[in-house]
């Protein structure tokens, strides 16, 4: 079945460091891919998405490119801030399937000032 | 700009008690969902409703029931709470079943069963 695998955390970085959170997926066909962010005590918010191969989603300085050949959707940011500390979830939603979105287990990011 | 609203935010139950988590969305979405979030497990789908009047089981439906009361509201009921149901519950909605449609989440309900 469909699945999402993302790097385990926690990930601890210093402010202004470069961030990569790896995400790979297994799915039949070509799903849409999402990154959600969860700040402490809050629900999940959509960070960015890509709906087809080679698409790049971007928002708030974060980027992720839909790579069909490597079945990946890695999240990157060039210079992280303390305010980026949160849990990040990679997710997929398959086309022509029942109405479900599959989440990875989440990666906790902690940015040190 | 309410979006998805769920209540209560916090609840403590004794084993065997029942309760209902309420959820409403004001975005005129067809699809609604209930997820639970546990440490190290990510989000797991309990039930979903693709349209008013329909509900389907997700990954972990045992011990739960749902009601899609109307297009706006989707409730989750625990008939006889168990400690294994201690979790954070999220309601969500989406404006369609297309793969590109975004799912929007409520702020969560923290449930503890003692």
């Amino acid at each position: 079945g469909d699945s999402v695998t993302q790097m385990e955390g926690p990930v601890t970085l210093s402010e202004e460091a470069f961030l990569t959170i790896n995400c790979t997926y297994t799915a039949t066909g070509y799903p849409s891919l999402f990154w959600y962010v969860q700040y402490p005590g809050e629900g999940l918010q959509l960070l960015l998405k890509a709906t087809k191969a080679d698409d790049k989603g971007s928002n708030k300085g974060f980027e992720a490119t839909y790579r069909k050949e490597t079945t990946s959707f890695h999240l990157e940011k060039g210079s992280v801030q303390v305010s980026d500390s949160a849990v990040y979830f990679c997710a997929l939603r398959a086309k022509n399937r029942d109405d479900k979105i599959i989440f990875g287990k989440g990666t906790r990011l902690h940015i040190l000032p | 700009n309410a979006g998805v609203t769920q209540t209560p935010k916090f609840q403590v139950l004794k084993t065997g008690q029942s309760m209902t988590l309420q959820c409403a969305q004001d975005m005129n979405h067809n699809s609604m969902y209930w997820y639970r979030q546990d440490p190290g497990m990510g989000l797991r789908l309990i039930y979903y409703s693709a349209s008013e009047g329909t509900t389907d089981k997700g990954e972990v439906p045992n011990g739960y029931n749902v009601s899609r009361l109307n297009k706006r509201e989707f409730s989750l009921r625990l008939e006889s709470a168990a400690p294994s149901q201690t979790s954070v519950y999220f309601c969500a909605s989406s404006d369609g079943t297309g793969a590109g449609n975004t799912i929007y989440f409520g702020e969560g309900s923290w449930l503890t069963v003692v």
Side-chain angles (χ1 to χ4, degrees):
Chain A
D2 298 346
S3 66
V4 174
T5 303
Q6 59 182 107
M7 62 190 293
E8 294 187 15
V11 174
T12 302
L13 296 171
S14 298
E15 201 167 25
E16 299 183 1
F18 184 86
L19 168 71
T20 300
I21 300 178
N22 290 337
C23 172
T24 58
Y25 68 90
T26 301
T28 303
Y30 304 107
S32 293
L33 301 172
F34 303 80
W35 276 102
Y36 280 82
V37 58
Q38 184 181 30
Y39 298 104
E42 299 184 10
L44 279 71
Q45 304 172 26
L46 178 68
L47 181 60
L48 52 85
K49 70 179 184 182
T51 58
K52 61 183 187 294
D54 299 325
D55 268 2
K56 177 185 285 187
S58 61
N59 186 25
K60 299 181 180 179
F62 291 89
E63 293 183 339
T65 301
Y66 190 138
R67 302 288 188 196
K68 184 179 69 173
E69 62 277 11
T70 55
T71 62
S72 64
F73 193 55
H74 304 322
L75 183 68
E76 296 181 336
K77 186 175 185 181
S79 177
V80 293
Q81 306 299 314
V82 172
S83 58
D84 294 326
S85 298
V87 181
Y88 293 80
F89 292 91
C90 185
L92 71 81
R93 192 171 190 182
K95 296 180 173 66
N96 302 319
R97 298 286 296 276
D98 49 17
D99 188 24
K100 297 176 183 176
I101 183 167
I102 308 296
F103 286 88
K105 293 185 177 181
T107 302
R108 183 174 298 278
L109 175 64
H110 186 210
I111 306 300
L112 302 173
Chain B
N1 190 14
V4 178
T5 304
Q6 51 182 114
T7 57
K9 193 169 180 74
F10 300 99
Q11 184 72 49
V12 178
L13 287 178
K14 294 182 179 178
T15 297
Q17 285 186 318
S18 62
M19 77 159 296
T20 299
L21 298 175
Q22 307 286 352
C23 177
Q25 50 90 10
D26 62 2
M27 296 175 281
N28 201 37
H29 287 170
N30 287 315
S31 301
M32 297 186 73
Y33 312 82
W34 276 105
Y35 287 88
R36 60 178 288 173
Q37 182 180 26
D38 302 291
M41 301 294 290
L43 275 80
R44 294 182 291 171
L45 182 65
I46 305 171
Y47 270 94
Y48 67 103
S49 171
S51 63
E52 184 179 353
T54 68
T55 61
D56 287 284
K57 295 179 180 179
E59 184 182 355
V60 288
N62 291 344
Y64 305 95
N65 286 301
V66 291
S67 295
R68 184 72 184 268
L69 304 170
N70 48 55
K71 191 171 186 179
R72 289 187 64 248
E73 299 173 289
F74 188 41
S75 62
L76 178 72
R77 182 162 178 84
L78 286 69
E79 292 290 353
S80 179
S84 61
Q85 294 178 303
T86 293
S87 187
V88 184
Y89 292 86
F90 288 98
C91 179
S93 71
S94 173
D95 58 0
T97 58
N101 293 108
T102 299
I103 291 185
Y104 298 88
F105 286 83
E107 293 188 344
S109 297
W110 275 254
L111 176 65
T112 301
V113 183
V114 297

